[in-house]
Amino acid sequence: MAIAGPLERAIMEALWDAGEPLVVRVLMERINAEATRPSAYTTVQTVADRLVHKGFLVRTLDRNAYRYAPTRSRGEHIAEVMVEALAGVSDRGPALARFAETIDPQDAHRLLLELAQRSRPGPSSAGDDEP
């Protein structure tokens, strides 16, 4: 499931960038530092709670406040969104071809390397691990 609204995206980006769980007050400060229109504390808390219920965040009680953290990394989330987008198409070839045409050449090269690594046969099941 994709992250729907701009405040949801801002919350997720702030938490991914933080690399640690944040309380709403700190989360709000980070979001408002980048925003053209500031969000209220209760708005940030409500949207963060919705992201918990959607499975994007977890919250843990820290004294009298909740700390919020992403359930998956930014890369894991983006990959999941891409897989979901492709899952809705019966013929993925045209979509994959268009994607390949539009990405940066360095990203295309990295994707090729990852695909080549994935398609390499692993060690034999007979226990023959010679180089």
Side-chain angles (χ1 to χ4, degrees), residues 28 33 58 62 130:
M28 180 193 71
V58 293
D62 183 6
E130 290 183 29

Side-chain angles (χ1 to χ4, degrees), residues 26-69:
V26 174
L27 185 56
M28 180 193 71
E29 290 169 359
R30 291 186 183 195
I31 290 167
N32 287 340
E34 303 288 323
T36 55
R37 195 172 130 219
S39 296
Y41 179 96
T42 53
T43 303
V44 173
Q45 184 174 28
T46 298
V47 173
D49 286 339
R50 286 184 189 153
L51 289 167
V52 168
H53 293 294
K54 290 180 177 182
F56 291 109
L57 298 179
V58 293
R59 69 179 179 199
T60 54
L61 191 58
D62 183 6
R63 295 184 209 136
N64 60 347
Y66 283 110
R67 289 191 175 273
Y68 293 87

Side-chain angles (χ1 to χ4, degrees), residues 2 7 13 16 19 25 28-29 35 44 47 59 62 69 73 77-78 82-83 85-86 90 96 105 109-110 113 126 129:
L7 185 53
E13 291 295 334
W16 281 321
R25 180 184 50 78
M28 180 193 71
E29 290 169 359
V44 173
V47 173
R59 69 179 179 199
D62 183 6
S73 72
H77 172 72
I78 291 169
M82 293 170 71
V83 167
L86 286 173
S90 59
L96 290 169
H109 181 71
R110 173 120 188 238
L113 292 175
D129 292 335

